[in-house]
Amino acid sequence: MATEAHGAEDGGLVFHPMDQFIVKPLFGNGDVGAFTITNVTLWMALTVVCIIVLLVFGTSRRAIVPSRSQSIAEMMYGFVYKMVEDVTGKDGVKYFPYIMTLFMFILVSNFLGLLPMAFTTTSHIAVTGVLAMMVFLAVTILGFVKNGAGFLGLFWVSSAPLALRPILALIEVISYFVRPVSHSIRLAGNMMAGHAVIKVFAGFAAIAAISPLSILAITAMYGLEILVSGIQAYVFAILTCVYLKDALHPSH
Amino acid sequence: MAEHNLSPEAQGMADALGVDGDHAGASAGMPQLDFSSFDNQIVWLLITLVVIYFVLSRVALPRIGSVLAERAGTITNDIAAAEDLKQQAIDAEAAYEKALVDARAEAGRIVGETKAAIQVDLDKAIAKADAEIAARAAEGEKAIAAIRDSAAESAATVAKDIAKDIVSAVAPGKIDAKSITAAVTAKMKG
């Protein structure tokens, strides 16, 4: 981020659409170690702050007739709660705090990443990969704990003809293990692509003749990105619910 | 982003950013694939998630849940109270209607009683008045009878006197007063 100025340095059209995703230390020029305070730290901390402001301070009055911030917090709560309940059923409701954590983190990170000069933590495969692997491992372990070997019934399509079942089982197993990959790349890819495209359009703005069109395109992309930010958080959360449902009720 | 971006300018950018050469080499492509930053991101992600989880599960979610439950309870209570009040209003209206009907019936009864009492008084008064009228009429008739009698007597006396006078004028001394009186009386009776 903050490297758009490089285009101006050599006068020509130089695009650095990916520079915004570079992880760099916030203080000093050192190496990026495991505990170095980086822009990742900053923007994740801001995510936490936003969530606390919205969900804790926003609801501090506990009003029967809610204020605006309390309404938003209640809407988020109701939205995710209903999603968990609808998809996983009554017995999935006890996992609601985990899914709410994932949803709020992704949603707020996505939206914070849309601020100019921001760093989008959810555009990194390291972040979304960990999120997806956490969901995958949790769901798999939960499935075996809850259902024992019966969890393997998820891969054995009992409604299919017997001859087809081994083939289907193979496909099911592959698709099961591809889940965390698609789950993480979908989110990171969406966030990265939108931001990169905005940067490319921004690079074109250096040419005076194209700049009005460029600004129009950036505006349009920005609107689309707002939509994508919300939708990707929703998609990640609802897929988590679907996987959770598979773990709780593995029968097809 | 292709390798040709890894040019002096990219190197300069990397220097400007304070990223050392190795990192710039990776981040000139996709910073997402710069594995040297993975441990850092993962550490901060896990810390962030744990913080968010504890904030949500300890403070935010129970609070919002209780607010929503409280609101639902309040609404239910208010609806129940409204139903209660409505029922009370219906009861009050029924009681009012009943009181009205009772009052009407009572009024009717009182009117009937009063009418009967008045009728009794009236009948008594009428009977009394009839009796009085009958008494007065009898008295009057008596008086009329007396007057008639006296008038008849007077007429008889006058007739006798006149007959005597006429007889004495026509045939003086021939016929006595007694026979004249008897004749007149007989004539008047006939």
Side-chain angles (χ1 to χ4, degrees):
Chain A
M1 197 74 201
T3 48
E4 303 95 308
H6 285 288
E9 261 177 21
D10 31 65
L13 269 183
V14 182
F15 299 122
H16 294 292
M18 306 308 278
D19 287 3
Q20 57 178 322
F21 302 120
I22 295 173
V23 176
K24 54 183 183 285
L26 220 49
F27 309 106
N29 296 330
D31 232 345
V32 177
F35 290 95
T36 314
I37 298 186
T38 57
N39 45 359
V40 177
T41 320
L42 172 68
W43 288 97
M44 283 190 180
L46 285 175
T47 305
V48 174
V49 168
C50 285
I51 290 174
I52 291 176
V53 166
L54 180 63
L55 293 186
V56 177
F57 295 136
T59 59
S60 59
R61 284 176 50 230
R62 297 162 179 268
I64 291 287
V65 178
S67 59
R68 259 176 279 183
S69 58
Q70 195 183 324
S71 290
I72 294 170
E74 285 172 7
M75 234 151 65
M76 298 259 181
Y77 180 100
F79 177 72
V80 179
Y81 191 91
K82 196 171 178 304
M83 178 170 74
V84 173
E85 197 178 30
D86 285 353
V87 176
T88 64
K90 279 278 175 207
D91 48 350
V93 164
K94 61 173 173 288
Y95 307 105
F96 163 63
Y98 301 99
I99 290 165
M100 185 76 176
T101 303
L102 287 177
F103 178 75
M104 288 309 294
F105 172 75
I106 296 169
L107 185 76
V108 175
S109 293
N110 287 356
F111 279 132
L112 281 179
L114 283 175
L115 294 175
M117 318 298 285
F119 175 81
T120 318
T121 52
T122 42
S123 68
H124 273 266
I125 196 74
V127 171
T128 60
V130 169
L131 292 174
M133 278 314 290
M134 280 166 59
V135 171
F136 178 76
L137 290 177
V139 161
T140 308
I141 294 169
L142 194 69
F144 279 112
V145 168
K146 287 263 170 191
N147 307 290
F151 183 56
L152 293 172
L154 184 65
F155 307 114
W156 197 250
V157 187
S158 50
S159 57
L162 193 61
L164 277 177
R165 280 184 209 172
I167 305 165
L168 283 176
L170 187 67
I171 295 170
E172 290 281 340
V173 169
I174 292 171
S175 82
Y176 187 81
F177 284 98
V178 167
R179 274 178 180 182
V181 178
S182 65
H183 205 186
S184 58
I185 289 179
R186 181 184 303 110
L187 175 58
N190 267 290
M191 298 320 294
M192 187 191 73
H195 287 68
V197 166
I198 287 179
K199 270 294 156 60
V200 170
F201 281 131
F204 275 117
I207 305 171
I210 307 177
S211 58
L213 195 68
S214 170
I215 289 168
L216 210 66
I218 292 174
T219 312
M221 274 309 294
Y222 198 89
L224 185 68
E225 277 304 287
I226 289 174
L227 199 69
V228 167
S229 294
I231 288 173
Q232 285 306 318
Y234 173 64
V235 165
F236 196 96
I238 203 161
L239 281 175
T240 306
C241 291
V242 170
Y243 299 161
L244 188 62
K245 190 206 76 178
D246 281 347
L248 297 175
H249 317 285
S251 53
H252 270 274
Chain B
M1 283 293 126
E3 282 301 308
H4 67 256
N5 260 6
L6 193 56
S7 55
E9 104 216 349
Q11 196 59 53
M13 168 205 79
D15 291 345
L17 286 169
V19 182
D20 62 23
D22 295 344
H23 284 172
S27 59
M30 272 176 69
Q32 279 84 355
L33 299 180
D34 174 9
F35 294 103
S36 66
S37 70
F38 270 31
D39 51 355
N40 179 276
Q41 293 192 56
I42 291 168
V43 165
W44 290 116
L45 171 67
L46 294 180
I47 294 172
T48 304
L49 286 181
V50 168
V51 171
I52 295 174
Y53 174 73
F54 277 103
V55 167
L56 288 186
S57 64
R58 293 293 139 90
V59 186
L61 298 185
R63 183 188 289 173
I64 297 173
S66 73
V67 167
L68 291 179
E70 198 180 323
R71 179 173 313 141
T74 307
I75 289 170
T76 313
N77 286 347
D78 283 0
I79 288 172
E83 284 290 332
D84 206 33
L85 288 175
K86 195 178 162 196
Q87 194 53 48
Q88 278 181 24
I90 288 170
D91 289 351
E93 201 191 337
Y96 165 77
E97 290 288 345
K98 191 175 173 298
L100 204 64
V101 169
D102 285 355
R104 282 228 179 87
E106 181 70 11
R109 197 180 58 75
I110 289 170
V111 166
E113 269 177 16
T114 312
K115 246 187 200 159
I118 289 171
Q119 195 60 51
V120 168
D121 283 357
L122 201 61
D123 287 351
K124 218 182 270 171
I126 287 172
K128 197 177 165 198
D130 279 352
E132 205 164 308
I133 289 167
R136 289 268 181 84
E139 232 168 73
E141 250 164 45
K142 215 187 270 171
I144 289 168
I147 290 167
R148 194 189 282 144
D149 287 353
S150 72
E153 215 170 292
S154 299
T157 312
V158 169
K160 282 166 192 167
D161 285 353
I162 289 172
K164 262 180 214 162
D165 283 352
I166 291 169
V167 168
S168 62
V170 175
K174 294 251 172 99
I175 300 155
D176 63 307
K178 257 192 199 140
S179 56
I180 289 169
T181 302
V184 169
T185 305
K187 198 74 185 174
M188 278 179 84
K189 270 182 188 157

